[in-house]
Amino acid sequence: MSEIRATEIMVAAGAHELKDGETVVVGIGLPQIACFLAKATHAPGLTPLLEIGVANMRPKDTPVGLADSRIFYRATCWSGFLDVMGMNLHRGIVDTGFLGALEVDRYGNINTTLSREGGRLRYFNGSAGGNDVASLAKRVIVIMRHEKRKLPVAVSHLTSPGFVGGRPRAELGLRGGGPHRIITDKAVMGFDKENHSAALMSLHPGVSLEDVLANTGFPLQVPDAIATTALPTAEELRLLRDEIDPKSVYLGGVG
């Protein structure tokens, strides 16, 4: 088996967080790849939802966006945005929201709207359904590149709420459980139950604690004993490389 890529470790870690029988609103890219890896292995009863209203799809080839018809293949439902947001998220039946991010801060607040670098303001696509997902899903998993600028003390723009200001979700008036995991190309982070700040859970093989701390823009809680992130199995790698993303559309880089 050839060298394991960081993206493969990331999606395997994300897949392992998903449970059989769950309903998941999933974003395009690595979240999508992780979701279909889970469904092909330990979670055959997983129900993925796309915010545009597609449910329980089995993508053909590797779709490159929500409007790519290959992502609709064998879906059991194709309704609309309001159905996923209203009949699923707002009704409280979505177990997990699996998202990408431009920035995530120490309290799991997500920015997908704009960046401020060197005095330059750059706008991106905005939240789409991200705010609904972050506000209402029972838990939220974020997958992203591990860079200091992408993990600031406070996000440049609050697109989707986590534990805003370190406050409990109920105090914020948010029904969803909030941030659960941040999975990067260096580590897996969770959130402290008392102060709601990001805490290191595991380091990927070959990654040092010093590297992670140097590339994290906020104070990261570190346990006395640090676990090592499990590598994808040979079968998981086969599925990723031969069936789920054989052209490395998403596994070829870190979004």
Side-chain angles (χ1 to χ4, degrees):
M1 188 64 68
S2 61
E3 183 178 350
I4 298 173
R5 295 173 288 189
T7 48
E8 293 168 332
I9 297 173
M10 293 167 74
V11 296
H16 298 163
E17 292 288 340
L18 302 175
K19 299 177 177 62
D20 195 22
E22 284 192 328
T23 298
V24 182
V25 174
V26 61
I28 203 72
L30 293 183
Q32 164 198 328
I33 300 300
C35 183
F36 291 109
L37 178 61
K39 194 169 177 68
T41 53
H42 66 277
L46 192 72
T47 300
L49 301 175
L50 298 177
E51 62 185 43
I52 59 173
V54 177
N56 213 25
M57 57 286 181
R58 292 294 186 108
K60 188 175 181 62
D61 205 356
T62 306
V64 295
L66 293 178
D68 186 336
S69 59
R70 291 175 295 180
I71 205 169
F72 310 152
Y73 186 66
R74 300 188 71 178
T76 57
C77 177
W78 188 8
S79 54
F81 187 85
L82 290 177
D83 184 52
V84 170
M85 298 296 113
M87 294 299 292
N88 292 279
L89 274 167
H90 285 264
R91 196 153 56 96
I93 64 170
V94 172
D95 298 292
T96 304
F98 204 146
L99 304 170
L102 180 64
E103 291 180 331
V104 178
D105 67 23
R106 66 183 299 182
Y107 296 121
N109 299 302
I110 299 171
N111 170 24
T112 54
T113 302
L114 59 85
S115 70
R116 303 177 191 272
E117 293 184 54
R120 181 185 174 208
L121 189 65
R122 182 182 177 192
Y123 284 91
F124 291 81
N125 291 332
S127 70
N131 186 286
D132 296 76
V133 173
S135 298
L136 297 165
K138 294 176 185 176
R139 58 181 184 151
V140 175
I141 299 171
V142 179
I143 193 164
M144 63 185 296
R145 206 164 51 235
H146 200 127
E147 296 179 4
K148 197 168 188 175
R149 66 186 180 89
K150 294 177 72 66
L151 294 163
V153 172
V155 290
S156 301
H157 180 90
L158 178 53
T159 307
S160 305
F163 301 105
V164 183
R167 295 158 63 195
R169 298 278 289 185
E171 186 179 309
L172 295 165
L174 298 171
R175 286 187 280 132
H180 176 66
R181 295 284 183 268
I182 302 173
I183 299 171
T184 76
D185 52 326
K186 297 181 184 295
V188 176
M189 292 171 275
F191 292 86
D192 186 273
K193 292 183 179 179
E194 298 299 322
N195 61 29
H196 307 297
S197 185
L200 183 65
M201 295 193 66
S202 68
L203 295 171
H204 299 343
V207 177
S208 69
L209 175 60
E210 291 73 23
D211 185 14
V212 166
L213 294 178
N215 286 283
T216 304
F218 51 75
L220 180 63
Q221 295 183 206
V222 179
D224 293 333
I226 305 172
T228 300
T229 310
L231 291 173
T233 66
E235 174 60 9
E236 287 172 332
L237 288 173
R238 186 196 66 78
L239 287 165
L240 289 172
R241 297 173 181 182
D242 297 346
E243 297 183 18
I244 298 173
D245 190 13
K247 296 179 182 177
S248 292
V249 174
Y250 298 114
L251 291 174
V254 181

